[in-house]
Amino acid sequence: MTRTLRLLFACLLSLGLGIAASSPALAQQRPPARDVPAAPSDRTQAPAPVGRVDLQVMVVYATESHSKVDPSLGQLAGYLRNLRYTGYELLSTQKASLSPDGKTSFNVDGGRKVEVTLLSRDERRARMRVEVSDKKGEKLLDTTLSVNRNGTFIVAGPRHKDGILVLPLTATY
Amino acid sequence: MTLSRLQSLELRAVDGFASADELSELGASPEALDAAREPGGLLREALLPASTPALVDAVMATLEIDEPARLALVSALAVDRAPELADAVMAQLGVAEWDSRLLADALGGGPAPELADAVFAQLGLADPSAGLLAALLADDAPELADDVMAQLGFDDLAFAGLRDALAAPRGPDLWGAVSASLDLDDDAAAAAAWPADRDALRAALADPAGAPDLRDAVMVRLGLEQPVLRLPVGANASPAAAPRSWGFAGVALAAAAALLLVFTRPVAPESDAVMAVQLSAINNVEIEELSVSEDAMVQLLQFDENAPTIIFIEDLGSDEEGATL
């Protein structure tokens, strides 16, 4: 093959890579900007409209009966291991979009319910009220808290089978 | 007692029953001039005795106090200073002479009596300057370290080792014990058998964790032992070094892959199941209010500075076995 032909192919390749790099598809793989905490999990999701907060609740089953860790838990597994449970399984993921003063409810395994009310949000933090009820409808937890933008907090402890449920909640906007 | 004319007139005047003639007669009388300055003056003079009767002799006779006793009582009542009763009281109490002196000094506010010797004598501690008592009474704390170590059976050698270990600025060197357990002793045979591995192990244990390059291992694990495209650099960049067939095919494949990426719409992955969770670098929660049911206990956990806060609820009212951290 002549040198000219190789050069031509190299140029085509560079052109193709350059166009691909500017496309949204490959843009997903870039590391996020450091000044804004990256939205977790689904990066293809468009940011919430102005004033709204996208809430994601994961239902994780933690047990000591086995030592398998669901790979989809990603970074979360590293923190959950501190709870001394050996096995973690992602049961479900639920999402909702809330506007200020909006309320949503998530049904969790074992007949439990997680209700979240978005009280307010600004550029940096989202303030919400989280209520967890047991299968009898009695309130187990009632807390008002604020979390940083795209931040995550976890509610853990409700019993499930021979272990507990761990509920990471993430507020993205 | 019979009242005179003037006394009767005065009495009637004081009671308000005197007539005008009687009042004139009373006012004109020379005896009433002085006494009449005060209403009832004449009556008062009639009622009051001219002199105090002498009752002392009568009282003394009644009390049967003879003359010497009377004189002594008079003297005692007339004396300027209180009589000295201490000796009589002490005699009544049966307190001896020297005791009374001590008591007097103590009561008199003088210097505190020295009772230590008497107390030690009572306790049977003859010589308070010796032994434990001396140590307790000493101004400085006694040196007990040597005695304690002797009681614990620590000889100087063992103690020195323990002391050095405790005082060491960093943790004790465990490599010797670890290497012995791993059969990595420093003798020649072991050194010959484990030359590089031992040193590598030691270095790996001592060095802080870095960022290992996993690319090659990942590629091998994925079955991509040879990269799809490798741009030669430096000496390997010469066309003569690269196999011609692989170079042409590699470039062609890369171009085709690039064009496919450009003109093919990417499929959004299933975020629920396929993509692993990636958390924000900062996860900061500020809890304003928190309440739990009466049958539950709550703990707040955060295992790292930017780790997600965990609100851990333990339902104490459940029939199931308790959840533990």
Side-chain angles (χ1 to χ4, degrees), chain A residues 141-153:
Chain A
L141 169 74
D142 186 351
T143 180
T144 301
L145 52 82
S146 65
V147 61
N148 62 285
R149 184 173 180 174
N150 300 326
T152 299
F153 64 95

Side-chain angles (χ1 to χ4, degrees), chain B residues 71-135:
Chain B
L71 291 174
L73 182 59
V74 170
S75 300
L77 292 173
V79 73
D80 294 331
R81 294 184 299 125
E84 181 57 53
L85 299 176
D87 293 337
V89 170
M90 300 302 283
Q92 286 289 332
L93 294 175
V95 178
E97 179 65 23
W98 68 274
D99 294 328
S100 69
R101 185 174 65 251
L102 287 178
L103 182 60
D105 291 340
L107 294 174
E114 185 56 53
L115 300 175
D117 294 338
V119 169
F120 282 115
Q122 287 285 339
L123 294 174
L125 299 174
D127 185 6
S129 65
L132 179 61
L133 187 60

Side-chain angles (χ1 to χ4, degrees), chain B residues 26-88:
Chain B
L26 181 60
S29 169
E31 290 83 1
L33 283 179
D34 292 333
R37 289 178 187 172
E38 294 180 18
L42 292 174
L43 285 174
R44 184 177 299 109
E45 287 179 357
L47 291 174
L48 289 177
S51 61
T52 304
L55 299 177
V56 174
D57 294 336
V59 170
M60 300 303 281
T62 302
L63 293 176
E64 297 179 352
I65 297 177
D66 57 1
E67 187 62 19
R70 187 185 70 82
L71 291 174
L73 182 59
V74 170
S75 300
L77 292 173
V79 73
D80 294 331
R81 294 184 299 125
E84 181 57 53
L85 299 176
D87 293 337

Side-chain angles (χ1 to χ4, degrees), chain B residues 43-244:
Chain B
L43 285 174
R44 184 177 299 109
E45 287 179 357
L47 291 174
L48 289 177
S51 61
T52 304
L55 299 177
V56 174
D57 294 336
V59 170
M60 300 303 281
T62 302
L63 293 176
E64 297 179 352
I65 297 177
D66 57 1
E67 187 62 19
R70 187 185 70 82
L71 291 174
L73 182 59
V74 170
S75 300
L77 292 173
V79 73
D80 294 331
R81 294 184 299 125
E84 181 57 53
L85 299 176
D87 293 337
V89 170
M90 300 302 283
Q92 286 289 332
L93 294 175
V95 178
E97 179 65 23
W98 68 274
D99 294 328
S100 69
R101 185 174 65 251
L102 287 178
L103 182 60
D105 291 340
L107 294 174
E114 185 56 53
L115 300 175
D117 294 338
V119 169
F120 282 115
Q122 287 285 339
L123 294 174
L125 299 174
D127 185 6
S129 65
L132 179 61
L133 187 60
L136 292 173
L137 294 176
D139 293 332
D140 299 327
E143 183 58 51
L144 300 176
D146 294 336
D147 293 335
V148 170
M149 297 305 286
Q151 285 290 333
L152 293 174
F154 283 161
D155 60 0
D156 187 57
L157 186 62
F159 177 67
L162 176 62
R163 177 181 54 201
D164 293 341
L166 292 173
R170 53 190 173 85
D173 185 9
L174 300 175
W175 174 249
V178 171
S179 63
S181 297
L182 296 174
D183 295 329
L184 298 178
D185 296 331
D186 286 334
D187 57 292
W194 298 79
D197 294 338
R198 179 194 60 189
D199 294 338
L201 177 61
R202 179 182 295 180
L205 290 173
D207 291 340
D213 185 4
L214 301 176
R215 185 187 65 84
D216 292 338
V218 170
M219 296 299 283
V220 169
R221 189 62 180 268
L222 293 174
L224 300 175
E225 298 183 3
Q226 187 168 6
V228 175
L229 173 66
R230 175 171 291 172
L231 299 177
V233 179
N236 294 328
S238 61
R244 292 189 180 186

Side-chain angles (χ1 to χ4, degrees), chain A residues 94-145:
Chain A
Q94 303 177 48
K95 299 181 183 180
S97 183
L98 292 175
S99 56
D101 295 329
K103 185 174 183 177
T104 187
S105 179
F106 304 96
N107 292 320
V108 176
D109 297 67
R112 296 180 178 88
K113 190 162 61 174
V114 178
E115 291 178 307
V116 182
T117 306
L118 178 64
L119 301 175
S120 65
R121 60 137 265 203
D122 57 22
E123 283 294 316
R124 302 177 66 182
R125 303 188 72 83
R127 185 166 172 264
M128 62 190 72
R129 181 181 182 185
V130 178
E131 300 166 89
V132 178
S133 306
D134 62 9
K135 46 192 166 185
K136 299 177 185 175
E138 296 176 358
K139 198 170 291 184
L140 203 59
L141 169 74
D142 186 351
T143 180
T144 301
L145 52 82

